[in-house]
Amino acid sequence: MQTGIPNAFGESPTRLLRRVPQPKSYTDVLARAVFRLLLVVQGLGAFALITFGVLLKKSRVARPVITPLIRQEIFRSGVKLLPMFLFLALALGLLVIGQTVVILQKIGAFNYLGTVMVVVIVRELGPLLAAALVLARVGTANVIELGTARALGEVEALEALGIDPIHYLVVPRVIGLALGTFALTVYLILGALGSGYLWAFLQDVPILPGDYFRQLAGALRGLDFVLLALKTAAFGGIIAIITCYHGLAQPLRLEDVSRATVRAVAQAVIAFVVLDALFILVYLLA
Amino acid sequence: MKPGASSNIIEMTGVAVGALHDPNTVVVEDVNWTVTAGDFWAVGGRTGSGKSDFLMLAAGLLTPPRGQCRIFGDALPIFEEARLAQRLRLGFVFDGGHLFNNLTIAENVALPLQYHSTAPPAEIAARVEQLLAATELTSWTNSTPGTMGRNWQKRVGLARALALAPEVLLLDNPLGGADARHAAWWLEFLGQLATGHELLPGKRAVTLVVTADDLHPWQHRARQFAVLREGRLEVLAKEKLAAETPNG
Protein backbone atom coordinates (compact mmCIF):
# COMPACT_ATOMS: atom_id res chain seq x y z
CA MET A 1 0.00 0.00 0.00
CA GLN A 2 1.24 3.45 -0.86
CA THR A 3 2.13 5.82 1.95
CA GLY A 4 -0.88 6.97 3.16
CA ILE A 5 -4.42 6.14 2.97
CA PRO A 6 -5.38 4.51 6.25
CA ASN A 7 -7.45 1.34 5.91
CA ALA A 8 -7.11 1.77 2.18
CA PHE A 9 -8.06 -1.72 1.17
CA GLY A 10 -9.24 -2.91 4.55
CA GLU A 11 -12.52 -2.66 6.35
CA SER A 12 -12.78 0.58 8.28
CA PRO A 13 -13.30 0.55 12.08
CA THR A 14 -16.55 2.50 11.55
CA ARG A 15 -17.87 -0.23 9.25
CA LEU A 16 -16.78 -2.90 11.72
CA LEU A 17 -18.61 -1.00 14.45
CA ARG A 18 -21.78 -0.98 12.36
CA ARG A 19 -21.73 -4.78 12.26
CA VAL A 20 -21.80 -5.04 16.06
CA PRO A 21 -25.36 -5.91 17.26
CA GLN A 22 -27.57 -2.91 18.00
CA PRO A 23 -27.34 -1.58 21.60
CA LYS A 24 -30.20 -2.20 23.98
CA SER A 25 -29.94 0.62 26.53
CA TYR A 26 -29.41 4.40 26.44
CA THR A 27 -25.96 4.05 27.96
CA ASP A 28 -25.05 1.59 25.22
CA VAL A 29 -26.27 4.07 22.62
CA LEU A 30 -24.26 6.86 24.22
CA ALA A 31 -21.15 4.71 24.53
CA ARG A 32 -21.46 3.65 20.91
CA ALA A 33 -21.83 7.28 19.80
CA VAL A 34 -18.76 8.32 21.82
CA PHE A 35 -16.77 5.39 20.49
CA ARG A 36 -17.78 6.24 16.92
CA LEU A 37 -16.78 9.87 17.46
CA LEU A 38 -13.38 8.78 18.77
CA LEU A 39 -12.86 6.54 15.75
CA VAL A 40 -13.71 9.41 13.41
CA VAL A 41 -11.33 11.74 15.25
CA GLN A 42 -8.62 9.08 15.15
CA GLY A 43 -9.13 8.44 11.43
CA LEU A 44 -9.18 12.12 10.53
CA GLY A 45 -6.18 12.85 12.77
CA ALA A 46 -4.14 10.06 11.21
CA PHE A 47 -5.12 11.19 7.70
CA ALA A 48 -4.21 14.81 8.51
CA LEU A 49 -0.82 13.79 9.93
CA ILE A 50 -0.05 11.61 6.92
CA THR A 51 -1.07 14.43 4.57
CA PHE A 52 1.12 17.01 6.30
CA GLY A 53 3.97 14.50 6.38
CA VAL A 54 3.67 13.97 2.62
CA LEU A 55 3.29 17.73 2.06
CA LEU A 56 6.58 18.42 3.82
CA LYS A 57 8.48 15.36 2.61
CA LYS A 58 7.51 15.67 -1.04
CA SER A 59 7.51 19.44 -1.38
CA ARG A 60 10.13 19.14 -4.12
CA VAL A 61 8.83 16.00 -5.80
CA ALA A 62 7.15 16.14 -9.23
CA ARG A 63 6.69 19.90 -9.23
CA PRO A 64 5.72 20.07 -12.93
CA VAL A 65 2.71 17.90 -12.06
CA ILE A 66 1.77 19.21 -8.62
CA THR A 67 2.17 22.98 -9.18
CA PRO A 68 -0.48 23.19 -11.95
CA LEU A 69 -2.80 21.11 -9.77
CA ILE A 70 -2.35 23.58 -6.89
CA ARG A 71 -3.04 26.49 -9.26
CA GLN A 72 -6.15 24.72 -10.51
CA GLU A 73 -7.38 24.20 -6.93
CA ILE A 74 -6.77 27.85 -6.02
CA PHE A 75 -8.81 28.85 -9.07
CA ARG A 76 -11.58 26.42 -8.20
CA SER A 77 -11.82 27.25 -4.51
CA GLY A 78 -10.94 30.94 -4.76
CA VAL A 79 -11.16 32.88 -7.99
CA LYS A 80 -14.20 31.03 -9.34
CA LEU A 81 -16.25 31.80 -6.22
CA LEU A 82 -15.54 35.54 -6.25
CA PRO A 83 -18.81 36.76 -7.87
CA MET A 84 -20.89 34.81 -5.35
CA PHE A 85 -18.79 36.17 -2.49
CA LEU A 86 -19.18 39.77 -3.64
CA PHE A 87 -22.96 39.35 -3.67
CA LEU A 88 -22.75 37.76 -0.23
CA ALA A 89 -20.59 40.60 1.05
CA LEU A 90 -23.26 43.14 0.03
CA ALA A 91 -25.94 41.07 1.74
CA LEU A 92 -23.86 40.57 4.89
CA GLY A 93 -23.16 44.31 5.22
CA LEU A 94 -26.89 45.01 4.95
CA LEU A 95 -27.76 42.27 7.40
CA VAL A 96 -25.43 43.42 10.15
CA ILE A 97 -25.83 47.17 9.65
CA GLY A 98 -29.60 46.91 9.22
CA GLN A 99 -30.00 45.21 12.58
CA THR A 100 -27.27 47.14 14.41
CA VAL A 101 -28.36 50.61 13.35
CA VAL A 102 -31.80 50.13 14.91
CA ILE A 103 -30.28 49.25 18.30
CA LEU A 104 -27.49 51.84 18.21
CA GLN A 105 -30.00 54.54 17.24
CA LYS A 106 -32.04 53.83 20.40
CA ILE A 107 -29.05 54.33 22.68
CA GLY A 108 -27.33 56.98 20.52
CA ALA A 109 -24.11 54.99 20.23
CA PHE A 110 -23.19 55.30 16.57
CA ASN A 111 -19.54 55.57 17.53
CA TYR A 112 -19.66 51.80 18.18
CA LEU A 113 -20.67 50.96 14.62
CA GLY A 114 -17.10 50.11 13.58
CA THR A 115 -16.52 48.02 16.68
CA VAL A 116 -19.67 46.00 16.04
CA MET A 117 -18.63 45.40 12.42
CA VAL A 118 -15.16 44.22 13.46
CA VAL A 119 -16.44 41.89 16.19
CA VAL A 120 -19.25 40.42 14.12
CA ILE A 121 -17.80 40.34 10.62
CA VAL A 122 -14.01 40.21 10.97
CA ARG A 123 -13.82 37.93 13.97
CA GLU A 124 -16.83 35.66 13.59
CA LEU A 125 -19.34 35.77 10.80
CA GLY A 126 -16.96 36.46 7.90
CA PRO A 127 -14.65 33.47 8.39
CA LEU A 128 -17.47 31.09 9.35
CA LEU A 129 -19.72 32.06 6.47
CA ALA A 130 -16.86 31.91 3.96
CA ALA A 131 -15.85 28.47 5.19
CA ALA A 132 -19.44 27.20 5.05
CA LEU A 133 -19.82 28.39 1.47
CA VAL A 134 -16.50 26.92 0.36
CA LEU A 135 -17.56 23.66 1.99
CA ALA A 136 -20.85 23.70 0.11
CA ARG A 137 -19.37 24.63 -3.26
CA VAL A 138 -15.98 22.92 -3.27
CA GLY A 139 -15.94 20.48 -0.35
CA THR A 140 -18.95 18.49 -1.53
CA ALA A 141 -17.54 18.37 -5.06
CA ASN A 142 -14.30 17.04 -3.57
CA VAL A 143 -15.97 14.08 -1.89
CA ILE A 144 -17.94 13.24 -5.02
CA GLU A 145 -14.92 13.54 -7.33
CA LEU A 146 -12.58 11.57 -5.09
CA GLY A 147 -15.22 9.04 -4.08
CA THR A 148 -16.03 8.39 -7.72
CA ALA A 149 -12.33 8.18 -8.60
CA ARG A 150 -11.88 5.70 -5.77
CA ALA A 151 -14.88 3.64 -6.84
CA LEU A 152 -13.63 3.57 -10.45
CA GLY A 153 -10.18 2.35 -9.44
CA GLU A 154 -8.19 5.53 -10.15
CA VAL A 155 -6.45 5.31 -6.78
CA GLU A 156 -5.19 1.82 -7.54
CA ALA A 157 -4.10 3.11 -10.96
CA LEU A 158 -2.03 5.84 -9.28
CA GLU A 159 -0.45 3.31 -6.96
CA ALA A 160 0.34 1.03 -9.90
CA LEU A 161 2.18 3.97 -11.50
CA GLY A 162 4.18 4.59 -8.32
CA ILE A 163 2.34 7.88 -7.70
CA ASP A 164 1.40 8.60 -4.10
CA PRO A 165 -2.39 9.31 -4.14
CA ILE A 166 -2.03 11.59 -1.11
CA HIS A 167 0.59 13.65 -2.93
CA TYR A 168 -1.33 13.79 -6.20
CA LEU A 169 -4.92 14.08 -5.00
CA VAL A 170 -4.87 15.51 -1.47
CA VAL A 171 -1.89 17.86 -1.14
CA PRO A 172 -2.99 20.23 -3.98
CA ARG A 173 -6.47 20.39 -2.46
CA VAL A 174 -5.15 21.19 1.03
CA ILE A 175 -2.94 24.01 -0.25
CA GLY A 176 -5.56 25.31 -2.71
CA LEU A 177 -8.39 25.29 -0.19
CA ALA A 178 -6.31 26.89 2.58
CA LEU A 179 -5.20 29.75 0.31
CA GLY A 180 -8.58 30.02 -1.43
CA THR A 181 -10.56 30.18 1.81
CA PHE A 182 -8.20 32.79 3.25
CA ALA A 183 -8.42 34.99 0.15
CA LEU A 184 -12.19 34.67 -0.13
CA THR A 185 -12.68 35.55 3.52
CA VAL A 186 -10.60 38.69 3.07
CA TYR A 187 -12.73 39.65 0.04
CA LEU A 188 -15.90 38.90 1.96
CA ILE A 189 -14.84 40.98 4.94
CA LEU A 190 -13.69 43.95 2.85
CA GLY A 191 -16.87 43.81 0.81
CA ALA A 192 -19.11 43.53 3.88
CA LEU A 193 -17.36 46.41 5.66
CA GLY A 194 -17.68 48.57 2.54
CA SER A 195 -21.30 47.66 1.93
CA GLY A 196 -21.96 48.20 5.65
CA TYR A 197 -21.17 51.87 5.22
CA LEU A 198 -23.28 52.00 2.07
CA TRP A 199 -26.33 50.66 3.90
CA ALA A 200 -25.67 52.93 6.90
CA PHE A 201 -25.56 55.90 4.52
CA LEU A 202 -28.84 54.81 2.91
CA GLN A 203 -30.42 54.56 6.36
CA ASP A 204 -29.40 58.18 7.09
CA VAL A 205 -26.99 57.26 9.86
CA PRO A 206 -25.12 60.49 10.70
CA ILE A 207 -21.57 59.18 10.25
CA LEU A 208 -18.93 60.28 7.75
CA PRO A 209 -16.90 57.70 5.80
CA GLY A 210 -13.71 58.89 7.50
CA ASP A 211 -15.24 58.41 10.96
CA TYR A 212 -16.60 54.98 10.05
CA PHE A 213 -13.25 53.71 8.79
CA ARG A 214 -11.45 55.31 11.77
CA GLN A 215 -13.79 53.35 14.04
CA LEU A 216 -12.97 50.17 12.15
CA ALA A 217 -9.23 50.82 12.35
CA GLY A 218 -9.51 51.60 16.05
CA ALA A 219 -11.39 48.39 16.78
CA LEU A 220 -8.91 46.20 14.88
CA ARG A 221 -5.90 44.81 16.72
CA GLY A 222 -2.73 43.29 15.28
CA LEU A 223 -3.89 39.97 16.69
CA ASP A 224 -7.01 40.14 14.50
CA PHE A 225 -4.90 39.92 11.35
CA VAL A 226 -2.82 37.02 12.62
CA LEU A 227 -5.78 35.05 13.91
CA LEU A 228 -7.85 35.76 10.81
CA ALA A 229 -5.11 34.33 8.60
CA LEU A 230 -4.65 31.28 10.84
CA LYS A 231 -8.35 30.65 11.27
CA THR A 232 -9.30 30.89 7.60
CA ALA A 233 -6.36 28.78 6.44
CA ALA A 234 -7.30 26.22 9.11
CA PHE A 235 -10.92 26.21 7.92
CA GLY A 236 -9.70 25.58 4.36
CA GLY A 237 -7.39 22.82 5.60
CA ILE A 238 -10.26 21.24 7.54
CA ILE A 239 -12.50 21.23 4.47
CA ALA A 240 -9.76 19.60 2.41
CA ILE A 241 -8.79 16.98 5.00
CA ILE A 242 -12.34 15.93 5.90
CA THR A 243 -13.65 15.81 2.34
CA CYS A 244 -10.56 14.02 1.01
CA TYR A 245 -10.69 11.55 3.90
CA HIS A 246 -14.28 10.64 3.15
CA GLY A 247 -13.63 10.46 -0.58
CA LEU A 248 -10.44 8.46 -0.44
CA ALA A 249 -9.65 6.74 2.80
CA GLN A 250 -12.08 3.87 2.54
CA PRO A 251 -12.94 1.56 -0.31
CA LEU A 252 -16.09 3.07 -1.80
CA ARG A 253 -18.66 1.75 -4.19
CA LEU A 254 -20.52 4.27 -6.33
CA GLU A 255 -23.63 3.94 -4.12
CA ASP A 256 -21.56 4.90 -1.03
CA VAL A 257 -20.52 8.29 -2.45
CA SER A 258 -23.66 10.25 -1.49
CA ARG A 259 -23.55 8.98 2.10
CA ALA A 260 -19.85 9.85 2.33
CA THR A 261 -20.65 13.38 1.13
CA VAL A 262 -23.32 13.90 3.78
CA ARG A 263 -20.99 12.59 6.51
CA ALA A 264 -18.17 14.85 5.36
CA VAL A 265 -20.34 17.98 5.41
CA ALA A 266 -21.70 17.23 8.89
CA GLN A 267 -18.24 16.55 10.30
CA ALA A 268 -16.74 19.64 8.67
CA VAL A 269 -19.45 21.89 10.18
CA ILE A 270 -18.79 20.40 13.64
CA ALA A 271 -15.06 20.90 13.14
CA PHE A 272 -15.65 24.58 12.18
CA VAL A 273 -17.59 25.19 15.38
CA VAL A 274 -14.97 23.49 17.55
CA LEU A 275 -12.13 25.41 15.89
CA ASP A 276 -14.04 28.67 16.15
CA ALA A 277 -14.57 28.07 19.87
CA LEU A 278 -10.83 27.57 20.28
CA PHE A 279 -10.14 30.87 18.53
CA ILE A 280 -12.67 32.65 20.76
CA LEU A 281 -10.69 31.34 23.72
CA VAL A 282 -7.51 32.80 22.24
CA TYR A 283 -9.24 36.18 21.78
CA LEU A 284 -10.47 36.12 25.36
CA LEU A 285 -7.10 35.15 26.78
CA ALA A 286 -5.07 37.58 24.64
CA MET B 1 18.91 -6.81 -11.07
CA LYS B 2 20.98 -6.65 -7.91
CA PRO B 3 24.38 -8.32 -8.19
CA GLY B 4 24.08 -11.87 -7.01
CA ALA B 5 20.29 -11.76 -6.97
CA SER B 6 18.32 -14.56 -8.62
CA SER B 7 16.34 -14.00 -11.82
CA ASN B 8 13.09 -14.53 -9.90
CA ILE B 9 10.83 -11.54 -10.35
CA ILE B 10 7.75 -12.62 -8.44
CA GLU B 11 7.87 -15.37 -5.82
CA MET B 12 4.81 -16.51 -3.92
CA THR B 13 5.13 -19.01 -1.10
CA GLY B 14 2.00 -20.30 0.61
CA VAL B 15 0.19 -17.13 -0.38
CA ALA B 16 -3.52 -16.51 0.23
CA VAL B 17 -5.11 -13.88 -2.01
CA GLY B 18 -7.69 -11.55 -0.43
CA ALA B 19 -10.42 -9.82 -2.43
CA LEU B 20 -9.78 -6.15 -3.24
CA HIS B 21 -13.09 -4.92 -1.81
CA ASP B 22 -13.12 -7.30 1.15
CA PRO B 23 -9.61 -8.35 2.16
CA ASN B 24 -11.04 -10.69 4.80
CA THR B 25 -12.46 -12.87 2.04
CA VAL B 26 -9.77 -15.19 0.68
CA VAL B 27 -10.36 -15.97 -3.00
CA VAL B 28 -7.27 -18.07 -3.73
CA GLU B 29 -5.37 -20.21 -1.22
CA ASP B 30 -1.87 -21.62 -0.90
CA VAL B 31 -0.25 -20.21 -4.01
CA ASN B 32 3.31 -21.29 -4.69
CA TRP B 33 4.36 -19.63 -7.90
CA THR B 34 7.46 -18.07 -9.39
CA VAL B 35 7.87 -15.74 -12.35
CA THR B 36 11.38 -15.48 -13.72
CA ALA B 37 12.86 -13.02 -16.19
CA GLY B 38 11.76 -13.73 -19.76
CA ASP B 39 8.60 -15.66 -18.79
CA PHE B 40 5.29 -15.13 -20.56
CA TRP B 41 2.56 -16.45 -18.30
CA ALA B 42 -1.10 -16.79 -19.19
CA VAL B 43 -3.27 -17.35 -16.12
CA GLY B 44 -6.80 -18.49 -16.87
CA GLY B 45 -9.89 -18.69 -14.74
CA ARG B 46 -13.60 -18.14 -14.72
CA THR B 47 -15.18 -14.78 -13.97
CA GLY B 48 -15.06 -14.40 -10.18
CA SER B 49 -12.21 -16.89 -9.76
CA GLY B 50 -9.99 -14.12 -8.35
CA LYS B 51 -7.82 -13.41 -11.40
CA SER B 52 -7.78 -9.64 -10.88
CA ASP B 53 -7.06 -9.90 -7.15
CA PHE B 54 -4.33 -12.46 -7.84
CA LEU B 55 -2.71 -10.20 -10.43
CA MET B 56 -2.96 -7.13 -8.18
CA LEU B 57 -1.25 -9.05 -5.43
CA ALA B 58 1.43 -10.19 -7.88
CA ALA B 59 1.98 -6.50 -8.70
CA GLY B 60 2.28 -5.60 -5.03
CA LEU B 61 -0.98 -3.61 -5.02
CA LEU B 62 -2.49 -5.90 -2.38
CA THR B 63 -0.86 -7.49 0.63
CA PRO B 64 -1.44 -11.22 1.18
CA PRO B 65 -3.40 -12.15 4.33
CA ARG B 66 -1.15 -15.23 4.62
CA GLY B 67 2.10 -16.40 3.08
CA GLN B 68 4.97 -14.49 1.57
CA CYS B 69 5.13 -12.67 -1.73
CA ARG B 70 8.43 -11.24 -2.95
CA ILE B 71 8.88 -8.90 -5.88
CA PHE B 72 12.44 -8.53 -7.15
CA GLY B 73 13.49 -10.26 -3.94
CA ASP B 74 11.72 -7.79 -1.61
CA ALA B 75 8.83 -8.91 0.56
CA LEU B 76 5.53 -6.99 0.25
CA PRO B 77 4.62 -4.23 0.80
CA ILE B 78 7.12 -2.53 -1.49
CA PHE B 79 5.68 0.98 -1.51
CA GLU B 80 8.31 2.69 0.61
CA GLU B 81 9.90 5.68 -1.09
CA ALA B 82 13.28 3.96 -1.03
CA ARG B 83 11.95 1.12 -3.18
CA LEU B 84 10.27 3.32 -5.75
CA ALA B 85 12.86 2.68 -8.45
CA GLN B 86 12.37 -1.05 -7.94
CA ARG B 87 8.61 -0.61 -7.98
CA LEU B 88 8.71 1.16 -11.34
CA ARG B 89 10.36 -1.86 -12.97
CA LEU B 90 6.90 -3.38 -12.90
CA GLY B 91 3.95 -2.13 -14.98
CA PHE B 92 0.27 -2.96 -14.59
CA VAL B 93 -2.59 -2.77 -17.08
CA PHE B 94 -6.03 -2.88 -15.50
CA ASP B 95 -9.03 -4.57 -17.03
CA GLY B 96 -10.86 -1.52 -18.44
CA GLY B 97 -7.81 0.73 -18.23
CA HIS B 98 -8.64 2.59 -15.00
CA LEU B 99 -7.84 5.85 -16.72
CA PHE B 100 -7.99 9.29 -15.12
CA ASN B 101 -11.24 10.66 -16.47
CA ASN B 102 -10.37 14.33 -16.02
CA LEU B 103 -7.23 14.01 -18.19
CA THR B 104 -6.98 13.61 -21.95
CA ILE B 105 -5.53 10.45 -23.44
CA ALA B 106 -2.16 12.14 -24.01
CA GLU B 107 -2.15 13.48 -20.45
CA ASN B 108 -2.99 10.03 -19.08
CA VAL B 109 0.00 8.54 -20.88
CA ALA B 110 2.27 11.46 -19.98
CA LEU B 111 1.42 11.44 -16.26
CA PRO B 112 3.93 8.79 -15.08
CA LEU B 113 6.66 10.43 -17.15
CA GLN B 114 5.91 13.91 -15.83
CA TYR B 115 5.73 12.62 -12.25
CA HIS B 116 8.82 10.44 -12.20
CA SER B 117 11.21 11.84 -14.78
CA THR B 118 13.03 15.12 -15.04
CA ALA B 119 13.00 15.02 -18.83
CA PRO B 120 12.13 18.29 -20.61
CA PRO B 121 8.49 18.65 -21.78
CA ALA B 122 9.45 18.27 -25.45
CA GLU B 123 11.09 14.92 -24.75
CA ILE B 124 8.05 13.74 -22.79
CA ALA B 125 5.73 14.85 -25.60
CA ALA B 126 7.83 12.92 -28.14
CA ARG B 127 7.72 9.77 -25.99
CA VAL B 128 3.93 10.09 -25.57
CA GLU B 129 3.53 10.51 -29.33
CA GLN B 130 5.60 7.38 -29.90
CA LEU B 131 3.53 5.37 -27.41
CA LEU B 132 0.23 6.57 -28.86
CA ALA B 133 1.39 5.75 -32.38
CA ALA B 134 2.50 2.25 -31.36
CA THR B 135 -0.90 1.56 -29.77
CA GLU B 136 -2.84 3.17 -32.67
CA LEU B 137 -4.23 5.88 -30.43
CA THR B 138 -2.93 8.98 -32.20
CA SER B 139 -6.40 10.06 -33.34
CA TRP B 140 -7.58 10.01 -29.70
CA THR B 141 -4.74 12.20 -28.38
CA ASN B 142 -6.90 15.07 -27.13
CA SER B 143 -10.03 13.07 -26.30
CA THR B 144 -11.05 12.16 -22.78
CA PRO B 145 -11.49 8.52 -21.73
CA GLY B 146 -15.28 8.87 -21.54
CA THR B 147 -15.48 9.29 -25.30
CA MET B 148 -13.72 5.98 -26.05
CA GLY B 149 -14.84 2.40 -26.11
CA ARG B 150 -13.61 -0.04 -23.47
CA ASN B 151 -11.20 -1.79 -25.84
CA TRP B 152 -9.48 1.47 -26.69
CA GLN B 153 -9.33 2.45 -23.02
CA LYS B 154 -7.39 -0.75 -22.36
CA ARG B 155 -4.88 0.26 -25.00
CA VAL B 156 -4.43 3.62 -23.27
CA GLY B 157 -3.80 1.68 -20.06
CA LEU B 158 -1.13 -0.29 -21.92
CA ALA B 159 0.50 2.84 -23.37
CA ARG B 160 0.52 4.42 -19.90
CA ALA B 161 2.06 1.31 -18.32
CA LEU B 162 4.76 1.22 -21.02
CA ALA B 163 5.65 4.90 -20.57
CA LEU B 164 8.31 4.12 -17.98
CA ALA B 165 9.62 1.12 -19.94
CA PRO B 166 9.00 -1.54 -17.28
CA GLU B 167 10.84 -4.86 -17.23
CA VAL B 168 7.73 -6.76 -16.20
CA LEU B 169 4.18 -6.12 -17.37
CA LEU B 170 1.08 -7.57 -15.75
CA LEU B 171 -2.11 -7.32 -17.77
CA ASP B 172 -5.53 -8.04 -16.37
CA ASN B 173 -7.67 -9.79 -18.96
CA PRO B 174 -6.53 -7.84 -22.04
CA LEU B 175 -8.77 -9.92 -24.31
CA GLY B 176 -11.86 -9.56 -22.10
CA GLY B 177 -14.70 -8.23 -24.27
CA ALA B 178 -12.37 -7.66 -27.24
CA ASP B 179 -13.67 -8.24 -30.75
CA ALA B 180 -11.59 -10.28 -33.24
CA ARG B 181 -9.71 -7.22 -34.49
CA HIS B 182 -8.71 -6.00 -31.04
CA ALA B 183 -7.90 -9.53 -29.84
CA ALA B 184 -5.57 -10.09 -32.81
CA TRP B 185 -3.88 -6.75 -32.14
CA TRP B 186 -3.29 -7.57 -28.47
CA LEU B 187 -1.89 -11.02 -29.21
CA GLU B 188 0.44 -9.61 -31.85
CA PHE B 189 1.57 -6.63 -29.78
CA LEU B 190 2.20 -8.63 -26.61
CA GLY B 191 4.04 -11.23 -28.66
CA GLN B 192 6.34 -8.45 -29.87
CA LEU B 193 6.83 -7.16 -26.33
CA ALA B 194 7.79 -10.65 -25.17
CA THR B 195 10.50 -10.92 -27.82
CA GLY B 196 11.62 -7.28 -27.88
CA HIS B 197 9.82 -4.14 -29.06
CA GLU B 198 11.28 -0.88 -30.31
CA LEU B 199 9.31 1.02 -27.61
CA LEU B 200 11.69 -0.35 -25.02
CA PRO B 201 15.33 0.63 -24.68
CA GLY B 202 17.56 -1.63 -26.75
CA LYS B 203 14.49 -3.57 -27.94
CA ARG B 204 14.65 -5.48 -24.67
CA ALA B 205 12.10 -8.23 -24.07
CA VAL B 206 9.48 -7.76 -21.38
CA THR B 207 8.46 -10.42 -18.88
CA LEU B 208 4.69 -10.79 -19.19
CA VAL B 209 1.86 -12.11 -17.05
CA VAL B 210 -1.64 -11.95 -18.49
CA THR B 211 -4.91 -13.20 -17.10
CA ALA B 212 -7.61 -14.56 -19.36
CA ASP B 213 -11.09 -16.02 -19.31
CA ASP B 214 -10.00 -18.46 -21.98
CA LEU B 215 -6.43 -19.69 -22.38
CA HIS B 216 -6.77 -20.96 -25.94
CA PRO B 217 -6.02 -17.66 -27.75
CA TRP B 218 -2.73 -17.57 -25.81
CA GLN B 219 -1.71 -21.08 -26.77
CA HIS B 220 0.82 -19.97 -29.39
CA ARG B 221 1.92 -16.77 -27.64
CA ALA B 222 2.44 -17.49 -23.95
CA ARG B 223 5.16 -19.84 -22.75
CA GLN B 224 3.81 -20.80 -19.33
CA PHE B 225 0.23 -21.48 -18.34
CA ALA B 226 -1.75 -21.72 -15.13
CA VAL B 227 -5.38 -21.75 -14.18
CA LEU B 228 -7.24 -20.53 -11.09
CA ARG B 229 -9.74 -23.22 -10.20
CA GLU B 230 -11.63 -23.88 -6.98
CA GLY B 231 -9.53 -21.38 -5.09
CA ARG B 232 -6.18 -22.85 -6.15
CA LEU B 233 -3.55 -21.96 -8.73
CA GLU B 234 -2.77 -24.91 -10.94
CA VAL B 235 0.20 -24.77 -13.29
CA LEU B 236 -0.60 -26.41 -16.65
CA ALA B 237 1.66 -28.10 -19.14
CA LYS B 238 1.25 -26.62 -22.63
CA GLU B 239 0.12 -29.93 -24.06
CA LYS B 240 -2.74 -30.11 -21.55
CA LEU B 241 -4.16 -26.81 -22.74
CA ALA B 242 -6.25 -28.41 -25.46
CA ALA B 243 -8.24 -30.24 -22.77
CA GLU B 244 -9.08 -26.97 -21.01
CA THR B 245 -12.57 -25.73 -21.74
CA PRO B 246 -13.06 -21.97 -22.21
CA ASN B 247 -13.73 -20.25 -18.88
CA GLY B 248 -11.88 -22.89 -17.00
Short mmCIF file of all heavy atoms in Angstrom, two decimals, chain A residues 4 14 27 50 201 257 259:
data_model
loop_
_atom_site.label_atom_id
_atom_site.label_comp_id
_atom_site.label_asym_id
_atom_site.label_seq_id
_atom_site.Cartn_x
_atom_site.Cartn_y
_atom_site.Cartn_z
N GLY A 4 0.22 6.16 3.07
CA GLY A 4 -0.88 6.97 3.16
C GLY A 4 -2.21 6.62 3.58
O GLY A 4 -2.52 6.86 4.66
N THR A 14 -15.15 2.05 11.48
CA THR A 14 -16.55 2.50 11.55
C THR A 14 -17.48 1.43 10.96
O THR A 14 -18.54 1.15 11.49
CB THR A 14 -16.71 3.80 10.75
OG1 THR A 14 -15.50 4.51 10.80
CG2 THR A 14 -17.83 4.63 11.28
N THR A 27 -27.40 3.93 27.71
CA THR A 27 -25.96 4.05 27.96
C THR A 27 -25.17 3.38 26.84
O THR A 27 -24.11 3.85 26.44
CB THR A 27 -25.57 3.43 29.32
OG1 THR A 27 -26.19 2.16 29.42
CG2 THR A 27 -25.93 4.31 30.49
N ILE A 50 -0.68 12.20 8.11
CA ILE A 50 -0.05 11.61 6.92
C ILE A 50 0.05 12.67 5.81
O ILE A 50 1.08 12.82 5.16
CB ILE A 50 -0.86 10.39 6.43
CG1 ILE A 50 -0.70 9.24 7.43
CG2 ILE A 50 -0.41 9.94 5.05
CD1 ILE A 50 -1.70 8.13 7.27
N PHE A 201 -25.32 54.63 5.21
CA PHE A 201 -25.56 55.90 4.52
C PHE A 201 -27.01 55.97 4.01
O PHE A 201 -27.70 56.98 4.17
CB PHE A 201 -24.56 56.03 3.36
CG PHE A 201 -24.78 57.22 2.48
CD1 PHE A 201 -24.40 58.49 2.91
CD2 PHE A 201 -25.37 57.08 1.23
CE1 PHE A 201 -24.62 59.59 2.09
CE2 PHE A 201 -25.59 58.18 0.42
CZ PHE A 201 -25.21 59.44 0.85
N VAL A 257 -21.07 6.93 -2.31
CA VAL A 257 -20.52 8.29 -2.45
C VAL A 257 -21.44 9.35 -1.83
O VAL A 257 -20.98 10.26 -1.14
CB VAL A 257 -20.23 8.61 -3.94
CG1 VAL A 257 -19.79 10.05 -4.12
CG2 VAL A 257 -19.15 7.67 -4.46
N ARG A 259 -23.61 9.05 0.63
CA ARG A 259 -23.55 8.98 2.10
C ARG A 259 -22.24 9.58 2.62
O ARG A 259 -22.21 10.28 3.62
CB ARG A 259 -23.68 7.52 2.56
CG ARG A 259 -25.12 7.05 2.67
CD ARG A 259 -25.18 5.74 3.43
NE ARG A 259 -24.51 4.66 2.70
CZ ARG A 259 -25.10 3.92 1.77
NH1 ARG A 259 -26.36 4.12 1.48
NH2 ARG A 259 -24.44 2.96 1.15
#
